[in-house]
Amino acid sequence: MRLSRSLSITSLSGLPLWEEESLPVQDLLLFEVSWEVTNKVGGIYTVIQTKAKITVDEWGENYIMMGPYYEHNFKTQVEKCEPPNQAIKAAMDSLINNGCQVHFGRWLIEGSPYVILFDIGAAAWNLDRWKGDLWNACSIGLPYHDREANDSLIFGSLVAWFFKELTDQLQDKPSVIAHFHEWQAGSGLVLSRSRKIPLATVFTTHATLLGRYLCAGNADFYNNLDKFNIDQEAGERQIYHRYCLERAAVHCAHVFTTVSQITAVEANHMLHRQPDVVTPNGLNVRKFSAMHEFQNMHSMNKAKIQEFVRGHFYGHLDFNLEKTLFFFIAGRYEFSNKGADLFLESLSRLNYLLRVHKSDVTVVVFFIMPAKTNNFNVESLKGQAVRKQLWDTAQSVKEKFGKRLYESLLRGEIPDMSKILDRDDFTIMKRAIYATQRHSFPPVTTHNMLDDSTDPILSNIRRIGLFNGRNDRVKIVFHPEFLSSTSPLLPMDYEEFVRGCHLGVFPSYYEPWGYTPGECTVMGIPSVTTNLSGFGCFMEEHVSDPSEYGIYIVDRRFRSADESCNQLTQFMFSFCQQSRRQRIIQRNRTERLSDLLDWRYLGRFYMHARHLALSRSFPGKFKMDHLNLTQGFRYPRPASVPPSPSASLHSTPHHSDEEDDDTYDEEEEAERDRQNIKAPFTLELRSALSCSSSSDSRTYLHPLPSENVLYLSDCSF
């Protein structure tokens, strides 16, 4: 039964209407296969979880996810129920009767999609036979010691077996679409195609397997894409069998997709097939939506971060918290891939610029990256204890002061301020002040690190000399643990923390998409990204002047590392020069870009990929016009005064945070943006970019001859 759509792309304010690609959903079954269904491992979990609502709205009960069964995950995330489709129930029963364990239920996330989960351990007795089937199908052998690859084969074999039983039950109607994510699900696609099971297949790579390994080893990846000996590189890293599985799945799929243009470049060289469609990752924007409250939420959560800073920097709190900006970087601890190396060097240069210009702005930078620790360090805990003690002392004195003032006024007397506080009160306050004395710098990390001497972040902090000294205008706090609202140090969850910061900095070198700057955007927080991340490329296409909307894009594609570092430094220095009003204006503009990242819009690219797969696998039943797909759009440059100080210089050397600028009207500008969004172009079948080498350390990308890959480009307005 098909559910009615509660939201459609046409409901997004300011976005152009889409022409519906009509698919007879009631006559189709859509299966989405991933190792991360109900099983959080990495970013793919976020993709399939946030996309579930819009897909269920589109497909209703004809949409089913498939993943591995883990008892704890099933008990805590899935509501067990019976399959509504008798053919699905019969296919499951066939597997169960042959000694396998298959579970069905509703995944308790937004949209409540159906899930089929296969017990890997219960079917492991078939492993040797299924290894033989894989070898006979595509001559790929799996070593016995690679448990992850063996588990993925068991999973894929069960999926292929299920599809064979299902299609035998269904005969010709309804037709089945199977969408596979990443190499762990690839064996299911390969086996299904080798057995000629009547499926329309889509395969999505979120990042190539070999690309991850090469970048993790600090290879000069983008300059040498066309020079790598792929087989040799995979063999040296002992992942040749995994690479073969991934490549086989890519070439067996009717439609191959990637999540960004930069990953399309990578896939073309690593996997030797250009993607048919680029399917950008979206977010459920309604989850983060706070309407006009997001500015108030920034203020409230900023106050929580300020409380932490008061404790962490006790004894050295000689800077004005009202003129302190909070920057952060967060994600997996991949020092070079996530751009932490570039960020630290830029912070050193930013510190120099702020000191030379005698700026009264202080920047506190948080590194939220999980690393090996054994506990909170004593100094960090002591700082929060000292802060709480000072607060209790102040509250105690305030109560006495208030009571005596109240009684004096009741008697009709103006109180003698020298008598309203007695000697004991002054003694208590002096003891509290003496307790804040500190003879060492505030710690740069909140935890005891197990690999303190070799930790990349700490080693680079020592190199650049940012030790939270009194003269430093840039302070660093390394929090080597994910945030939690139950933490005794910084009791905030990640969303609250992001809302309280002023700028997220993510200068990644290898980032197939990049959810962190996207999350900043939908929460109205400006961010820094790069043109080597999928998010950065996407914003460059859709926004004519991203920096005016709070999306700063560092050029790591065409510039050397030193030039990129200088550009990042300049972005941060310009941000520090903004007045409070300018930052508020910019946050309003940033939040308005949320619609760009909503699955209600980006889900359309998945719809197109499915339609294309059906037209290729069942050409007699499904056809599509692939040259006139859907219309795109592009945000214009804001018409009002830009927030960048470099573009709006003041007539006096110092300006007030409370400056009055009547040229800006948030509602008027938002309405103008909605009216000015242009959609004069169509998405065409174009080529991906390929990389060519250069003699220096820069990366240059040049277009290839036109092939079949879909992406947004060439916007005119």
Side-chain angles (χ1 to χ4, degrees):
M1 172 180 144
R2 185 182 180 187
L3 301 180
S4 61
R5 298 189 193 178
S6 60
L7 290 170
S8 70
I9 186 61
T10 58
S11 67
L12 292 180
S13 61
L15 300 186
L17 301 180
W18 294 93
E19 293 182 4
E20 291 288 344
E21 294 176 7
S22 56
L23 277 179
V25 175
Q26 65 277 8
D27 296 328
L28 297 169
L29 285 176
L30 171 62
F31 292 87
E32 196 150 8
V33 186
S34 171
W35 189 259
E36 298 198 32
V37 171
T38 75
N39 176 40
K40 185 169 185 178
V41 178
I44 302 170
Y45 178 90
T46 304
V47 175
I48 59 179
Q49 182 195 42
T50 56
K51 185 168 60 66
K53 176 66 166 64
I54 188 68
T55 313
V56 170
D57 286 347
E58 174 81 12
W59 290 79
E61 293 185 349
N62 290 354
Y63 172 57
I64 302 101
M65 293 183 176
M66 305 172 78
Y69 170 83
Y70 291 97
E71 184 178 7
H72 175 74
N73 293 342
F74 187 81
K75 288 183 176 179
T76 57
Q77 299 182 46
V78 180
E79 178 186 13
K80 189 173 182 178
C81 63
E82 289 296 316
N85 187 303
Q86 290 304 310
I88 293 176
K89 181 173 173 45
M92 288 176 54
D93 289 342
S94 177
L95 267 69
I96 293 170
N97 293 336
N98 281 279
C100 302
Q101 293 186 19
V102 188
H103 304 265
F104 190 90
R106 282 192 181 274
W107 190 6
L108 299 179
I109 58 174
E110 191 169 8
S112 300
Y114 287 125
V115 292
I116 299 174
L117 303 178
F118 299 94
D119 192 323
I120 307 300
W125 56 277
N126 291 293
L127 179 59
D128 289 339
R129 176 166 61 90
W130 287 339
K131 281 187 177 183
D133 292 344
L134 183 67
W135 178 262
N136 293 331
C138 55
S139 300
I140 297 175
L142 302 184
Y144 72 92
H145 57 76
D146 189 346
R147 179 167 180 176
E148 186 177 5
N150 290 330
D151 285 351
S152 71
L153 175 59
I154 297 171
F155 175 55
S157 299
L158 288 169
V159 168
W161 187 358
F162 172 84
F163 281 139
K164 180 68 171 67
E165 297 291 341
L166 177 66
T167 52
D168 287 348
Q169 292 282 334
L170 295 174
Q171 299 301 323
D172 290 334
K173 193 172 182 180
S175 299
V176 178
I177 306 171
H179 190 151
F180 298 82
H181 291 267
E182 287 293 293
W183 72 272
Q184 291 97 329
S187 58
L189 191 158
V190 173
L191 292 169
S192 296
R193 291 302 307 278
S194 69
R195 295 167 185 172
K196 295 182 170 51
I197 299 175
L199 298 172
T201 57
V202 181
F203 183 80
T204 296
T205 182
H206 297 256
T208 68
L209 186 66
L210 187 55
R212 289 187 187 275
Y213 275 82
L214 287 168
C215 287
N218 295 322
D220 187 7
F221 186 63
Y222 293 101
N223 277 334
N224 295 289
L225 268 177
D226 58 343
K227 297 183 180 66
F228 288 120
N229 184 326
I230 305 300
D231 293 337
Q232 179 182 338
E233 296 288 351
E236 288 177 352
R237 289 160 178 80
Q238 299 184 9
I239 57 165
Y240 186 69
H241 54 288
R242 297 187 183 191
Y243 162 73
C244 290
L245 267 180
E246 181 181 41
R247 186 168 170 180
V250 165
H251 286 269
C252 285
H254 292 106
V255 173
F256 171 45
T257 79
T258 64
V259 298
S260 65
Q261 293 176 28
I262 200 68
T263 312
V265 173
E266 178 186 339
N268 184 47
H269 287 86
M270 297 286 109
L271 302 173
H272 299 286
R273 178 177 177 181
Q274 291 189 14
D276 302 292
V277 185
V278 170
T279 52
N281 290 338
L283 284 164
N284 183 357
V285 172
R286 293 183 67 190
K287 171 188 173 185
F288 299 98
S289 177
M291 300 301 287
H292 296 293
E293 283 296 306
F294 78 93
Q295 293 283 8
N296 294 333
M297 295 173 74
H298 167 73
S299 181
M300 288 187 296
N301 290 301
K302 181 180 70 174
K304 295 180 181 179
I305 299 175
Q306 287 175 335
E307 282 300 293
F308 166 81
V309 169
R310 289 187 177 100
H312 192 79
F313 290 91
Y314 82 91
H316 287 256
L317 201 64
D318 52 357
F319 50 90
N320 186 353
L321 278 176
E322 293 304 315
K323 293 187 177 181
T324 298
L325 302 179
F326 301 129
F327 296 178
F328 80 99
I329 182 173
R332 291 189 302 274
Y333 197 172
E334 298 175 7
F335 183 68
S336 296
N337 285 355
K338 297 299 182 184
D341 50 354
L342 188 75
F343 188 25
L344 281 165
E345 180 60 35
S346 298
L347 289 176
S348 176
R349 300 180 187 189
L350 174 65
N351 185 53
Y352 172 78
L353 288 176
L354 293 175
R355 291 175 63 179
V356 166
H357 288 81
K358 301 188 185 306
S359 174
D360 58 355
V361 172
T362 301
V363 177
V364 177
V365 183
F366 293 88
F367 286 76
I368 312 296
M369 291 180 161
K372 295 179 180 179
T373 66
N374 59 20
N375 213 329
F376 300 107
N377 64 41
V378 174
E379 273 297 303
S380 296
L381 292 171
K382 180 182 177 183
Q384 300 307 315
V386 168
R387 177 195 61 79
K388 187 176 186 307
Q389 182 184 16
L390 276 173
W391 173 258
D392 292 342
T393 300
Q395 290 297 105
S396 165
V397 173
K398 184 180 78 171
E399 288 180 9
K400 290 182 182 179
F401 180 92
K403 184 177 180 181
R404 290 167 186 168
L405 176 62
Y406 173 65
E407 290 173 349
S408 178
L409 293 175
L410 280 178
R411 292 194 299 268
E413 300 173 356
I414 298 297
D416 184 351
M417 301 305 293
S418 63
K419 296 180 180 179
I420 205 163
L421 290 177
D422 56 30
R423 184 186 296 269
D424 289 341
D425 295 326
F426 283 103
T427 300
I428 292 172
M429 288 189 288
K430 287 178 181 178
R431 288 180 61 183
I433 291 172
Y434 291 155
T436 65
Q437 292 182 354
R438 179 186 245 168
H439 302 293
S440 61
F441 291 147
V444 295
T445 180
T446 57
H447 292 60
N448 294 323
M449 303 290 293
L450 292 182
D451 301 316
D452 184 288
S453 60
T454 59
D455 182 81
I457 289 179
L458 295 182
S459 297
N460 275 268
I461 289 173
R462 296 184 189 104
R463 179 182 62 81
I464 62 180
L466 284 180
F467 298 119
N468 295 338
R470 289 186 181 274
N471 294 327
D472 290 329
R473 296 273 54 84
V474 173
K475 319 284 187 180
I476 292 180
V477 179
F478 179 23
H479 190 280
E481 196 176 74
F482 285 131
L483 296 169
S484 169
S485 58
T486 59
S487 169
L489 281 184
L490 189 55
M492 304 176 72
D493 61 31
Y494 180 72
E495 182 180 335
E496 291 176 327
F497 177 78
V498 172
R499 289 191 185 276
C501 288
H502 296 91
L503 183 71
V505 185
F506 314 101
S508 303
Y509 179 76
Y510 185 76
E511 191 72 80
W513 177 250
Y515 262 121
T516 41
E519 289 167 342
C520 286
T521 301
V522 300
M523 288 187 269
I525 302 301
S527 62
V528 177
T529 182
T530 74
N531 57 359
L532 288 181
S533 74
F535 176 83
C537 294
F538 182 80
M539 283 299 174
E540 278 188 322
E541 292 169 2
H542 284 77
V543 183
S544 60
D545 193 349
S547 62
E548 299 302 332
Y549 285 92
I551 309 294
Y552 299 94
I553 301 175
V554 176
D555 186 355
R556 298 197 68 176
R557 182 185 292 181
F558 301 108
R559 298 192 183 196
S560 67
D562 186 62
E563 290 173 325
S564 298
C565 187
N566 285 335
Q567 186 183 23
L568 176 56
T569 304
Q570 189 56 48
F571 282 155
M572 295 190 293
F573 184 62
S574 296
F575 190 87
C576 292
Q577 290 179 300
Q578 292 181 16
S579 68
R580 178 173 298 179
R581 176 174 175 78
Q582 288 171 327
R583 292 197 300 271
I584 291 172
I585 291 172
Q586 193 175 57
R587 283 197 294 273
N588 284 331
R589 291 174 179 168
T590 302
E591 197 271 340
R592 286 210 302 275
L593 295 182
S594 296
D595 287 346
L596 285 173
L597 304 174
D598 200 317
W599 275 122
R600 290 177 288 165
Y601 166 61
L602 297 179
R604 168 59 84 185
F605 297 97
Y606 278 85
M607 297 177 197
H608 171 69
R610 296 168 196 142
H611 198 161
L612 185 59
L614 285 169
S615 69
R616 289 178 176 178
S617 56
F618 306 111
K621 296 170 62 177
F622 300 94
K623 299 183 184 300
M624 68 179 298
D625 296 327
H626 62 280
L627 292 178
N628 185 20
L629 304 176
T630 51
Q631 288 188 319
F633 61 94
R634 186 175 172 93
Y635 267 84
R637 189 174 185 273
S640 65
V641 177
S644 172
S646 61
S648 58
L649 298 177
H650 297 268
S651 57
T652 58
H654 300 286
H655 59 278
S656 167
D657 275 352
E658 288 77 25
E659 64 182 359
D660 187 18
D661 183 359
D662 293 329
T663 62
Y664 174 77
D665 184 291
E666 199 273 332
E667 291 296 333
E668 181 181 340
E669 185 180 278
E671 181 60 32
R672 188 182 296 112
D673 273 355
R674 287 191 286 268
Q675 293 174 356
N676 287 339
I677 293 173
K678 302 297 181 181
F681 65 98
T682 58
L683 302 180
E684 299 175 355
L685 295 178
R686 299 179 59 89
S687 68
L689 300 174
S690 74
C691 294
S692 67
S693 64
S694 63
S695 57
D696 60 10
S697 60
R698 305 180 188 184
T699 303
Y700 298 92
L701 303 183
H702 303 285
L704 286 171
S706 179
E707 296 290 344
N708 289 344
V709 60
L710 174 69
Y711 69 104
L712 296 170
S713 183
D714 298 338
C715 307
S716 60
F717 63 95

